[in-house]
Amino acid sequence: MPAPIDIPKDPLPLSGAVQRADPVQGADQESRDLARRLLAESLFAAIGTIDPATGFPHVSRIAIGPGPAGGLWSLVSGLSVHARALAADPRAGMLIGIPGSKGDPLTHPRLSLQVEARPLDRMDPRHPSLRDRWLADHPKSKLYIDLGDFYFIEFHILAAQLNGGFARSYRLTSTDLLQS
């Protein structure tokens, strides 16, 4: 087994750099608008869960989208590692954002979310309208949406951090992400 990596708890400041206690700023209207736009326009995200079989983190790409009444939803297969992980522990991390075609990918905005997954039973009265909305936004899912192992999950956002590019990091609450 490889030796653990020694990461300094208090890294030395860069020469001449001004150090702040916390470089992440509180939300302002511009950061709220950008985070809401990322949520509204994104059709997929990376999700991090804890694999119950191994105890190690597992990252997957999932399709995401709003439901008829808003919110953040995904259609998942119960056979997937991330679905089994969410069934064991509904907490997850999610990363939303697409790097642009030019420039450094780290300068493009992205939104990191702490979420809690809540599956939707097929007998729930919201299921038919959610299914219709999902198909309108994700038409290729028609091939598998009605298979027995697929179901919807709503992700309740607990906290978020927006990285809007260099020196533009903001801490957001779930209230900040609600459309005004």
Side-chain angles (χ1 to χ4, degrees):
M1 176 175 245
I5 299 171
D6 185 25
I7 300 173
K9 291 185 178 27
D10 294 315
L12 296 174
L14 299 174
S15 177
V18 176
Q19 294 293 308
R20 294 191 305 188
D22 184 358
V24 182
Q25 305 169 55
D28 59 16
Q29 194 56 47
E30 183 181 351
S31 64
R32 287 183 198 97
D33 290 344
L34 177 55
R36 290 172 188 159
R37 193 184 90 229
L38 287 171
L39 278 172
E41 295 176 359
S42 296
L43 294 176
F44 65 88
I47 188 168
T49 58
I50 299 297
D51 182 344
T54 65
F56 278 86
H58 177 81
V59 179
S60 300
R61 179 176 290 157
I62 61 170
I64 59 170
L72 182 61
W73 292 85
S74 185
L75 176 68
V76 299
S77 166
L79 303 176
S80 66
V81 172
H82 56 272
R84 290 192 314 265
L86 292 170
D89 183 345
R91 298 172 301 158
M94 195 176 288
L95 179 64
I96 296 172
I98 303 170
S101 60
K102 294 183 180 181
D104 184 342
L106 298 179
T107 63
H108 296 276
R110 57 225 181 251
L111 184 63
S112 296
L113 303 173
Q114 292 177 344
V115 297
E116 183 177 78
R118 298 182 184 165
L120 182 75
D121 188 279
R122 284 184 184 257
M123 301 310 292
D124 188 294
R126 298 175 293 169
H127 190 274
S129 60
L130 179 58
R131 182 186 180 281
D132 291 345
R133 171 66 190 259
W134 191 264
L135 286 170
D137 293 341
H138 304 83
K140 292 188 186 266
S141 67
K142 184 178 182 180
L143 299 171
Y144 49 83
I145 195 168
D146 294 321
L147 295 177
D149 61 302
F150 279 84
Y151 61 95
F152 288 105
I153 291 179
E154 183 175 17
F155 293 104
H156 287 259
I157 300 171
L158 306 174
Q161 185 169 332
L162 171 70
N163 187 322
F166 184 74
R168 295 178 56 214
S169 185
Y170 302 90
R171 189 172 292 106
L172 299 134
T173 65
S174 57
T175 304
D176 290 323
L177 299 175
L178 296 174
Q179 292 296 336
S180 53

